[in-house]
Amino acid sequence: MKRSNDFIVGLVVLGSVVGIVAFALWLSQANLGSARREVVARFTDVGNAKVGNSVVIRGVESGHIESIELESTGWVLVRMALDHDVKLPGSPVVLLSESSMFGEWQATIMDRAAAPDDADVQQQLAQSGAAGHGALPGARLPDIAQLTAVAGRIAGDMSRVADRVQVAFDDRAAVELRQSIRNFADLSSELERTVRVQSQGLSQLSSDVHRTVTSVNATAMSLERTATRVDSSTSKGEIAQIMGNVNEASADIKATSHDLRDASHSFLATQQQLTSVLTHADSVLGKIDRGQGSLGLMVNDPSLYQNSDALLSQMRELVAEIRAHPGKYLSVKIF
Amino acid sequence: MIKWADVYKSFGDKKVLQGFTLDVQEGETVVIIGYSGSGKSVAIKHVVGLLEPDRGTVIVDEMDVPTLPRRELYELRVSIGYVFQFAALFDSMTIGDNVAMGLRQRKEMSEHQIAQRVSEALELVDLPNVEDQYPAELSGGMRKRVGIARAVALRPKYILYDEPTTGLDPVTSAVIDELMIRMREKLGVTSVVITHDMRSAYRIGSRIAMLYDGRVRQVGTVEEIRRTTDPIVRQFIEGRATLDDQQPASATALAGGASVGGGRA
Amino acid sequence: MAIAQIRSVIEATGRWVRFRLEEVGRAGRFLGQLARALTDVRTWGPMATLQMRTLGVDSLPIGLLIAVFTGIVLALLASYSFTGAVPLYFVGTLVEKTTTLELAPVLTGLALAGRVGASIAAELGTMRVTEQIDALETLAYDPEAYLIVPRVVAGTVMFPLIVGVAMVVGLGAGWVASLGLLGLSSEEFLKGARLFYENFDITYGLVKAASFGFAVTVIGSYQGLQAEGGAEGVGHAATQAVVYSAVMILVLDAFWAMTWLHGRSG
């Protein structure tokens, strides 16, 4: 009776101890039998990395983090156990990063040259490498939360720009701009004709000129407003160039209108002067109208505007997509 | 020698022993009689240290039981056999194991010697060849005898019997009485026997003590008790419902002060 | 008159406090005796195996039964709760975490509180009221060392083993249920189970189980020894043992969660 109790209890105790230990080892994916090699890396900060997180080399899981120790010198030493037959890259560095959106981290061992060209990461690697021997340089990548925050900020800026550009270059604005340029051209040719028929007396001319100048002034101001709107929405590149052109044009128009105003005030302007001024303005406007220069292109080619609009909406979609699936775009392998 | 010296014991508000004083000399059998619930069992439990007195003390072989260190108390217990009212056999064990329990604890004898001693003890109580049975398979009387066998197997110097014949038929009672007498005569055991069975008390007792109201009302030889003039003792030993023919029993409390006997010491 | 009433109220309060303190004192002395008896290995050692058999090995079936059903239900619950918003392989994570950390220890503990606690209280209670415990003492046995320590040791050792096996079986049942009922693949389930697994999970569950085993056996023994007054007293002791054990398990569960789990950065 007693002996059989001893036997059964012993059997159950041994059986369950073996079972539980095997269960724990199996769950933690410990490799029994095959020897492991140890690699230590030094970090300023290990983010959310924890003991047991996997170690990845070229995308292949090759071990796990065994311990994380805070050193008195201010560094964090991360000890990793790697499968025995794993070969490390030539000058290995260790990057800690998020491996999924659910807060799990992994350590990636890669060649120094393949490390992301990010100033912060490079600085971490350099500092860690300079801190001493015996440990691989390590860096911590910003986690997904940070990346998505940055991406979100960029996306917000882009959509604001897109909205402004859209406001500046909606169909009506383009038509208006073209209309006013055409009006201005018509007006200037009429002015020319009027001036040419000079014999009808100076008083007649004077009131005509006055009226015309007012109209030119208004047109110029409208142009200027458009230009300002374009100006506020852009900062560099092609759009900056467009801006330059528009500014130039508006300055020309402003100058013209000043000249015209001077002429109307003094009544002393000669036909040649007026003609030359008007010809100058006409040539600028004609150039715009003919589609030369960026502004002209934009004004006369709706497809360009549509392209830029389409580009912006694509960017917006991309940002949304990145937000939804950051892992797809922002995985460690990209960086 | 067992000596109760002015023992007081109460459970909560219930005062059981109030100045109980009695001593038992080597080789004699003292029978304690008294009403149910008068504290007879409580008194003998003090002897083996199952209970500690609130006041007073119990001395066994010059040892002060309540203050004995644990180890010495256990050594003392080995020399005292205790026969419980309902035998208190371990019902998860065979009769043989029950009887052998104390012997095994002593760790002086081989298993073979123990088995021999067990069968001797069982033969002594007229229960041969029951070693492999379980207590539940035995009748009440048989169990009581096993209880006695368990106590005597240890060859104790003292045996305390707590109502060994209560609830048994007259023949079995007589057998157990015989057994208790044999113990004294054959083994020279000093015994304390609790009983309300006066026939049994007269048969086995060297002396008889009546426990009443928490103390010894009267103690004396069998003849002294038989001839007692104390009305309470008389009432008890004659088994009358009233103190005398008219007065109800409860009235005796008023006459409680007129104690006739008393502690011998 | 009024003064007398106030006095009686104050006296009643004082009496109540005294009884409670006495209870605490008794329990404390009991634990002290237990600690002393623990040193008497020669007495309790041989008895421990029998108790490990009756309290431990014989409790395995109930523990396993609970584990199987818990595992299955957890897997189904998890998939129901996730409803597409969370990848289905998290079923594995949920089953692993809840089984090892909480359900295997607590559910098994509660079931064993009934089985083990009541049986100890009833057995010791019966021994108490039939004077078997007194008889043990008169035979120079120390009841703490002979009766209680083996049970407490058996409970403290065997509870974690049963719970450990329950963890294995519970996860296995959850796995099978995921495969059979949820159409999850083995790889997915294991991926989920391993995703957040730490050895701490099992350690925590087992330590908890050991504390439950200790509590259940100590409470059962204490209630059993306190039993008085025949069958009714024994029944009362058994009921008290189960109730106090169950409460104690929940209290200990909260205690471990607050002191050990809470401090860890999740």
Side-chain angles (χ1 to χ4, degrees):
Chain A
M1 178 70 182
K2 205 165 182 190
R3 197 142 309 274
S4 88
N5 274 341
D6 284 346
F7 179 75
I8 290 171
V9 169
L11 196 71
V12 168
V13 169
L14 284 178
S16 18
V17 166
V18 168
I20 295 164
V21 168
F23 176 68
L25 290 176
W26 174 70
L27 266 183
S28 59
Q29 291 180 297
N31 263 355
L32 287 179
S34 74
R36 317 217 90 194
R37 62 183 286 197
E38 196 179 68
V39 170
V40 185
R42 189 184 289 115
F43 295 86
T44 43
D45 178 4
V46 293
N48 208 18
K50 276 186 293 191
V51 172
N53 286 157
S54 42
V55 177
V56 171
I57 297 175
R58 268 173 276 143
V60 182
E61 196 174 310
S62 314
H64 62 264
I65 295 179
E66 274 207 328
S67 72
I68 297 177
E69 301 152 20
L70 202 57
E71 254 199 334
S72 55
T73 50
W75 292 96
V76 186
L77 283 188
V78 174
R79 226 168 278 281
M80 292 162 286
L82 298 182
D83 296 342
H84 191 58
D85 47 354
V86 165
K87 272 212 174 75
L88 293 182
S91 61
V93 295
V94 182
L95 299 181
L96 291 176
S97 62
E98 219 159 356
S99 64
S100 80
M101 278 184 71
F102 302 99
E104 217 203 343
W105 282 55
Q106 65 180 21
T108 309
I109 301 180
M110 57 168 63
D111 197 70
R112 183 78 159 83
D117 193 20
D118 178 272
D120 183 44
V121 171
Q122 290 294 341
Q123 193 195 349
Q124 284 186 49
L125 288 177
Q127 282 178 352
S128 168
H133 293 287
L136 303 181
R140 177 205 151 185
L141 295 181
D143 58 25
I144 295 273
Q146 267 173 286
L147 286 177
T148 45
V150 169
R153 216 164 46 234
I154 294 172
D157 290 350
M158 280 176 164
S159 74
R160 254 201 315 282
V161 170
D163 286 347
R164 287 209 197 131
V165 170
Q166 206 168 5
V167 166
F169 284 100
D170 66 357
D171 285 343
R172 230 183 61 215
V175 168
E176 254 173 34
L177 189 60
R178 239 179 310 183
Q179 189 70 51
S180 55
I181 288 166
R182 215 168 281 136
N183 284 350
F184 197 71
D186 289 352
L187 190 70
S188 67
S189 56
E190 195 179 323
L191 253 176
E192 202 179 358
R193 204 169 53 246
T194 313
V195 169
R196 217 175 277 138
V197 193
Q198 217 185 355
S199 55
Q200 282 171 16
L202 198 59
S203 61
Q204 174 89 36
L205 176 70
S206 155
S207 66
D208 278 350
V209 167
H210 190 73
R211 202 174 55 245
T212 311
V213 162
T214 316
S215 154
V216 166
N217 216 6
T219 313
M221 271 159 67
S222 141
L223 252 177
E224 201 179 356
R225 263 204 310 281
T226 309
T228 315
R229 279 191 299 188
V230 172
D231 187 24
S232 71
S233 68
T234 59
S235 54
K236 51 185 170 178
E238 177 82 351
I239 294 173
Q241 215 180 322
I242 296 172
M243 263 317 303
N245 291 345
V246 172
N247 269 342
E248 237 172 73
S250 81
D252 283 347
I253 290 163
K254 239 188 272 182
T256 310
S257 79
H258 273 297
D259 287 352
L260 273 171
R261 212 178 296 167
D262 286 347
S264 77
H265 279 306
S266 64
F267 299 107
L268 292 170
T270 62
Q271 185 194 355
Q272 280 77 14
Q273 255 181 319
L274 192 54
T275 305
S276 86
V277 166
L278 288 175
T279 310
H280 184 60
D282 193 32
S283 83
V284 170
L285 294 170
K287 227 164 141 189
I288 288 175
D289 208 20
R290 279 195 305 277
Q292 291 171 350
S294 304
L295 186 60
L297 269 176
M298 191 164 291
V299 168
N300 288 300
D301 187 0
S303 74
L304 182 66
Y305 160 70
Q306 276 155 12
N307 280 348
S308 69
D309 195 43
L311 180 71
L312 284 169
S313 64
Q314 275 172 5
M315 280 167 89
R316 244 186 315 226
E317 273 166 30
L318 179 67
V319 166
E321 169 85 358
I322 288 172
R323 267 194 194 141
H325 309 286
K328 198 161 140 193
Y329 299 93
L330 301 174
S331 93
V332 181
K333 288 143 216 161
I334 293 177
F335 288 94
Chain B
M1 193 185 83
I2 300 172
K3 178 180 165 72
W4 286 267
D6 202 25
V7 173
Y8 283 76
K9 179 73 181 176
S10 44
F11 298 95
D13 297 331
K14 195 177 157 210
K15 293 173 181 144
V16 180
L17 297 183
Q18 300 174 73
F20 181 76
T21 301
L22 179 68
D23 46 33
V24 179
Q25 302 300 326
E26 303 278 308
E28 68 172 348
T29 297
V30 171
V31 177
I32 300 178
I33 57 174
Y35 292 100
S36 299
S38 60
K40 304 185 296 291
S41 298
V42 171
I44 64 166
K45 279 183 179 171
H46 279 89
V47 176
V48 286
L50 286 175
L51 294 173
E52 282 179 20
D54 297 336
R55 236 173 80 190
T57 188
V58 179
I59 292 165
V60 179
D61 288 347
E62 266 107 66
M63 282 183 282
D64 187 46
V65 178
T67 58
L68 271 188
R70 204 173 179 85
R71 184 177 296 270
E72 286 172 45
L73 178 62
Y74 281 156
E75 275 167 22
L76 172 67
R77 280 173 180 175
V78 170
S79 65
I80 303 175
Y82 197 118
V83 179
F84 285 87
Q85 190 173 353
F86 302 104
L89 300 183
F90 307 116
D91 34 34
S92 59
M93 296 178 195
T94 61
I95 300 299
D97 285 335
N98 259 289
V99 178
M101 274 291 274
L103 298 171
R104 292 209 173 107
Q105 175 70 350
R106 260 195 214 167
K107 300 184 174 77
E108 290 166 352
M109 300 164 78
S110 68
E111 269 304 307
H112 179 72
Q113 287 172 307
I114 288 176
Q116 220 167 1
R117 180 74 74 84
V118 166
S119 70
E120 266 174 40
L122 285 171
E123 261 168 50
L124 204 64
V125 295
D126 289 327
L127 282 173
N129 306 322
V130 293
E131 280 97 329
D132 293 332
Q133 284 177 297
Y134 281 88
E137 298 170 56
L138 303 185
S139 71
M142 288 162 96
R143 266 183 269 174
K144 277 202 163 168
R145 275 141 70 192
V146 174
I148 294 171
R150 186 171 67 185
V152 303
L154 288 164
R155 302 259 167 89
K157 196 172 163 193
Y158 306 99
I159 301 183
L160 313 174
Y161 299 90
D162 191 350
E163 303 195 14
T165 55
T166 305
L168 298 185
D169 62 86
V171 178
T172 313
S173 297
V175 170
I176 289 181
D177 286 346
E178 271 313 303
L179 186 67
M180 289 190 281
I181 294 165
R182 238 189 299 165
M183 284 294 130
R184 188 184 59 200
E185 287 174 352
K186 269 190 169 176
L187 304 171
V189 175
T190 308
S191 307
V192 177
V193 183
I194 289 174
T195 187
H196 348 256
D197 180 352
M198 287 317 296
R199 239 180 29 179
S200 168
Y202 293 146
R203 199 162 359 169
I204 60 174
S206 319
R207 286 190 298 139
I208 296 174
M210 167 132 185
L211 177 58
Y212 184 79
D213 230 7
R215 51 174 71 93
V216 173
R217 177 84 185 189
Q218 185 182 7
V219 60
T221 60
V222 173
E223 279 311 304
E224 282 167 355
I225 293 296
R226 273 187 200 273
R227 292 196 309 264
T228 184
T229 52
D230 186 314
I232 289 165
V233 180
R234 278 235 78 81
Q235 186 202 357
F236 187 86
I237 61 178
E238 285 167 14
R240 280 188 280 108
T242 52
L243 197 56
D244 49 50
D245 291 331
Q246 282 83 36
Q247 259 181 310
S250 57
T252 58
L254 298 171
S259 103
V260 173
R264 245 173 60 142
Chain C
M1 195 65 191
I3 290 169
Q5 277 173 344
I6 291 169
R7 198 188 147 129
S8 77
V9 168
I10 292 173
E11 274 176 356
T13 313
R15 207 162 32 238
W16 185 84
V17 170
R18 179 163 59 88
F19 285 157
R20 292 285 87 77
L21 288 179
E22 280 173 1
E23 184 77 18
V24 171
R26 266 202 299 278
R29 196 172 56 188
F30 177 71
L31 286 176
Q33 285 172 341
L34 202 61
R36 178 194 42 72
L38 198 59
T39 59
D40 189 1
V41 184
R42 282 206 324 189
T43 305
W44 64 257
M47 301 304 292
T49 338
L50 176 68
Q51 295 305 328
M52 283 162 104
R53 168 83 194 268
T54 51
L55 303 184
V57 177
D58 294 351
S59 298
L60 261 179
I62 179 77
L64 297 192
L65 190 76
I66 292 171
V68 166
F69 284 100
T70 310
I72 295 173
V73 169
L74 271 181
L76 297 179
L77 269 183
S79 83
Y80 166 77
S81 314
F82 292 168
T83 58
V86 178
L88 211 51
Y89 64 80
F90 272 94
V91 170
T93 312
L94 188 113
V95 173
E96 182 267 311
K97 283 283 172 190
T98 46
T99 309
T100 52
L101 288 176
E102 182 69 13
L103 289 181
V106 172
L107 284 186
T108 312
L110 287 176
L112 294 197
R115 189 185 180 279
V116 172
S119 90
I120 291 178
E123 192 179 352
L124 296 186
T126 306
M127 290 184 79
R128 167 59 83 201
V129 301
T130 58
E131 294 186 312
Q132 290 181 47
I133 290 176
D134 287 342
L136 264 184
E137 292 213 49
T138 61
L139 294 173
Y141 281 82
D142 175 3
E144 269 88 25
Y146 187 77
L147 292 176
I148 298 177
V149 174
R151 286 169 168 79
V152 173
V153 167
T156 313
V157 170
M158 293 308 281
F159 266 47
L161 289 181
I162 297 168
V163 167
V165 176
M167 288 175 184
V168 179
V169 170
L171 192 81
W175 186 2
V176 171
S178 305
L179 254 60
L181 300 174
L182 302 178
L184 213 62
S185 74
S186 265
E187 288 72 23
E188 279 180 301
F189 183 86
L190 279 184
K191 177 187 171 187
R194 283 171 170 162
L195 192 54
F196 291 103
Y197 169 78
E198 287 176 65
N199 283 330
F200 166 78
D201 296 353
I202 289 182
T203 314
Y204 178 78
L206 294 186
V207 168
K208 228 159 74 161
S211 73
F212 294 167
F214 180 80
V216 166
T217 46
V218 166
I219 291 172
S221 304
Y222 181 72
Q223 292 296 337
L225 289 191
Q226 298 286 314
E228 47 189 28
E232 195 193 339
V234 173
H236 182 68
T239 312
Q240 294 283 87
V242 174
V243 171
Y244 285 140
S245 300
V247 170
M248 199 42 149
I249 282 178
L250 299 177
V251 169
L252 278 174
D253 191 34
F255 167 79
W256 286 121
M258 284 189 283
T259 56
W260 199 7
L261 198 60
H262 185 57
R264 289 175 62 92
S265 53

